[in-house]
Amino acid sequence: MNYELPNAVEMEKFVLSALLLKKGEIVSEVAAILTADDFYRGEHKVIYEKILELHNEGIVPNLLSLIEKLHRAGVLEKMDLRAVMNLGDIAHTTAYVTEYAKVIKEKAILREMVYAGEEIKDNALKDISDFSDVLEKFNEKIDLIQRLITPPKSYNTRDYFNRGGEFETRQKNISKYYNRKTGFDNLDENQIFSPGLYVMGGVPAAGKTTFCWQLLEQLAAKDEKCVYASYEMSAFELFSKTISREYCSRYHRNNPANCDFSAADIRRGAFSQNLNDLMVSLEEFKEGRGDLTILEETNKDIDALLLDLRQFCKGGKAPVICIDYLQIIPHDKDSAKIAVDDIVRKLKGFQRETNATVIVISSFNRMNYTQAVSFESFKESGNIEYSADVVWGLQFEGVNDKESLETAKKQNPRYVQLRCLKNRQGSNYNCNFLYYPRSDWFVPCGNFLDVGSYSDENHAPRSY
């Protein structure tokens, strides 16, 4: 390269000098912006590292303590001592330090973009018979630059626990969610539904989409802002579920199994006998629902999806988001496992950054359809087990082979248990539900041997 790389050397000198003022009170603020590698000059990288070390050791960073630190590390002799001494005379105020730090960060990112561009060019000019290798290296460089743009936050223990500091701020924010209710009484008894990454898995026909859609509708009715990003079902299909459930809960609440008015009937227009009742249900439904948005997604990868979702995270209380579902989000990875790990990692990063409550639906391994729910049930479960805050699995009661599974799928209601496999917000638990598939309705219940007014003798639970 025959050109000078982007840099802000004079600003680097000013920032390093300012860090030695006022007993180092702005070190933590600058450390949240810059790493040592962001500095252009090699000696500036070393000086910054030693200032951070002094601060983390509880030693006030000033010119004397810095020189001693550099000497003990055996690096002072390799530096221009006059330049180090001059740091005591460059800055006389801490004003503008964060602005200068941001400029230094921007220059560092620009340098990485230059390096990445040169490497991308070199790779592209080589033999491109294996185009996928060139594209993979390109994507690696883009990912690196993206991580530089959104660097990890760093916190000093003493600063973190200061009055009005990060800990107190976060604690107050989380406490806002202690009284949030999902509308499922048995779930609310066991789970504080606070912001986090939730993963919901289940076998086909256990009602994963129906459960999550009903959950978001119930939250929206309680003034939560909700977003349902659907890769599988259209808005028409999802709202057909809503109408079917509303109709059943209004006119067949005491015996839902007798309601034969399904979402499929609604979609094909087979409701002439119930038209008046249906219209009343719809009008009252529209009045009672809050802020619920459906995003019909098709070919957007996880990065494009998160861009769509960010617009709902601006201002006010962060939303509840459901993504349906994990395994069909488009990707360009070599394997499904790598793709799932990457998507889950990015979802957790997005959730932490926005403080949203994110639910992502996952399918199960076929070999686990007739086994009790466990982490092994989740397809490509690597990052799910480690990154998720809460992991849920839906399973049929009493199923232990293919025959009993097929029998369970034909029931109305179906006896479904939500099993919590991981819960960073408390202990694990199980919640039982009667799932009426014809009406797309989940009804909480206690022990399956005592299902109350929602079943009669013909619907008594059994091992199939």
Side-chain angles (χ1 to χ4, degrees):
M1 294 182 290
N2 298 320
Y3 46 81
E4 186 176 18
L5 290 168
N7 66 80
V9 171
E10 295 306 315
M11 289 186 181
E12 291 181 8
K13 294 177 182 178
F14 183 91
V15 168
L16 292 174
S17 179
L19 292 176
L20 304 176
L21 300 176
K22 296 184 178 180
K23 298 183 179 181
E25 66 178 20
I26 61 165
V27 173
S28 296
E29 191 173 349
V30 173
I33 302 172
L34 295 176
T35 67
D37 287 337
D38 292 328
F39 287 83
Y40 183 63
R41 291 270 180 90
E43 61 268 28
H44 290 174
K45 297 176 188 285
V46 176
I47 291 170
Y48 184 67
E49 286 177 345
K50 298 310 172 186
I51 291 174
L52 292 184
E53 287 177 13
L54 288 168
H55 180 71
N56 290 333
E57 291 167 6
I59 301 173
V60 175
N62 55 41
L63 192 58
L64 291 178
S65 62
L66 173 62
I67 290 175
E68 183 180 357
K69 188 76 171 175
L70 291 169
H71 174 66
R72 288 180 178 276
V75 294
L76 183 61
E77 293 73 13
K78 303 174 185 178
M79 294 182 171
D80 182 347
L81 181 58
R82 180 174 296 181
V84 176
M85 295 294 292
N86 285 343
L87 288 177
D89 298 322
I90 295 174
H92 301 284
T93 176
T94 58
Y96 312 114
V97 171
T98 55
E99 286 78 5
Y100 287 174
K102 290 175 183 177
V103 173
I104 294 170
K105 169 64 77 174
E106 290 170 0
K107 298 297 183 183
I109 293 171
L110 288 173
R111 290 197 297 274
E112 287 299 329
M113 292 174 72
V114 173
Y115 297 142
E118 291 289 337
E119 190 168 338
I120 289 169
K121 181 187 73 174
D122 290 343
N123 288 329
L125 291 174
K126 293 176 183 177
D127 181 6
I128 59 171
S129 57
D130 193 348
F131 176 75
S132 61
D133 285 347
V134 178
L135 185 60
E136 182 178 357
K137 292 182 182 300
F138 173 84
N139 287 327
E140 287 175 358
K141 292 300 176 183
I142 297 302
D143 286 343
L144 172 62
I145 293 170
Q146 184 62 45
R147 288 197 295 274
L148 287 171
I149 294 172
T150 55
K153 294 182 178 179
S154 61
Y155 302 98
N156 177 269
T157 303
R158 288 176 289 109
D159 297 333
Y160 193 81
F161 289 101
N162 281 346
R163 187 171 186 83
E166 186 74 15
F167 179 82
E168 184 178 343
T169 300
R170 287 179 176 266
Q171 194 278 330
K172 287 181 178 179
N173 184 57
I174 292 298
S175 67
K176 299 175 184 177
Y177 298 91
Y178 286 169
N179 295 320
R180 177 196 262 173
K181 301 300 181 183
T182 67
F184 291 128
D185 293 343
N186 52 355
L187 184 57
D188 292 334
E189 290 173 1
N190 291 282
Q191 181 73 57
I192 298 174
F193 196 57
S194 56
L197 176 61
Y198 297 69
V199 177
M200 161 67 82
V203 300
K208 301 183 295 294
T209 294
T210 298
F211 181 91
C212 290
W213 177 241
Q214 182 177 340
L215 174 65
L216 257 66
E217 286 198 306
Q218 290 170 176
L219 286 163
K222 297 178 182 294
D223 296 323
E224 297 283 347
K225 180 166 64 174
C226 298
V227 182
Y228 198 97
S230 178
Y231 281 85
E232 187 175 35
M233 289 192 168
S234 67
F236 179 60
E237 291 173 301
L238 288 169
F239 281 127
S240 296
K241 289 176 175 287
T242 300
I243 297 168
S244 176
R245 183 174 64 253
E246 283 293 309
Y247 182 86
C248 183
S249 66
R250 189 176 300 275
Y251 297 105
H252 295 274
R253 188 172 187 84
N254 290 330
N255 201 340
N258 285 347
C259 183
D260 218 13
F261 187 53
S262 68
D265 293 329
I266 293 165
R267 288 195 293 272
R268 67 171 183 265
F271 49 76
S272 57
Q273 298 180 42
N274 315 88
L275 183 58
N276 290 334
D277 290 342
L278 177 63
M279 294 310 294
V280 171
S281 297
L282 284 177
E283 287 302 317
E284 294 186 8
F285 167 76
K286 288 189 295 185
E287 294 297 323
R289 287 307 187 268
D291 189 353
L292 173 58
T293 301
I294 296 174
L295 294 181
E296 288 187 357
E297 301 290 2
T298 51
N299 58 356
K300 289 185 178 179
D301 63 14
I302 185 61
D303 295 317
L305 172 63
L306 294 182
L307 283 176
D308 285 347
L309 293 174
R310 283 183 191 281
Q311 64 179 307
F312 297 95
C313 300
K314 297 176 181 177
K317 195 174 182 180
V320 179
I321 297 169
C322 182
I323 301 169
D324 188 4
Y325 64 93
L326 180 60
Q327 281 75 18
I328 59 174
I329 297 175
H331 63 83
D332 58 1
K333 305 302 180 184
D334 292 334
S335 71
K337 183 182 186 310
I338 293 174
V340 168
D341 282 354
D342 182 63
I343 291 170
V344 171
R345 176 178 59 81
K346 289 180 177 179
L347 283 174
K348 181 55 189 174
F350 167 83
Q351 183 279 314
R352 188 163 51 191
E353 178 187 344
T354 61
N355 202 41
T357 305
V358 180
I359 307 168
V360 60
I361 297 175
S362 174
S363 54
F364 273 0
N365 289 313
R366 289 182 181 274
M367 65 181 65
N368 293 96
Y369 281 3
T370 58
Q371 299 177 17
V373 169
S374 67
F375 282 113
E376 287 71 28
S377 305
F378 288 84
K379 284 188 176 181
E380 321 300 343
S381 62
N383 246 2
I384 291 175
E385 182 173 355
Y386 303 114
S387 297
D389 297 292
V390 178
V391 179
W392 289 331
L394 287 179
Q395 63 183 14
F396 290 111
E397 173 74 5
V399 167
N400 49 35
D401 55 34
K402 290 184 179 180
E403 183 178 354
S404 59
L405 175 62
E406 293 306 311
T407 302
K409 290 179 181 180
K410 297 174 184 177
Q411 300 299 306
N412 187 38
R414 296 171 186 166
Y415 304 101
V416 177
Q417 183 177 78
L418 182 146
R419 185 178 180 191
C420 179
L421 301 175
K422 177 184 178 181
N423 185 14
R424 281 188 176 143
Q425 300 154 4
S427 57
N428 294 347
Y429 52 86
N430 297 326
C431 293
N432 296 332
F433 292 88
L434 299 179
Y435 168 36
Y436 296 90
R438 294 176 193 164
S439 306
D440 290 283
W441 191 14
F442 271 83
V443 177
C445 69
N447 192 307
F448 281 127
L449 297 176
D450 180 19
V451 295
S453 63
Y454 291 106
S455 83
D456 56 25
E457 293 181 357
N458 294 326
H459 302 134
R462 64 185 69 84
S463 293
Y464 300 114

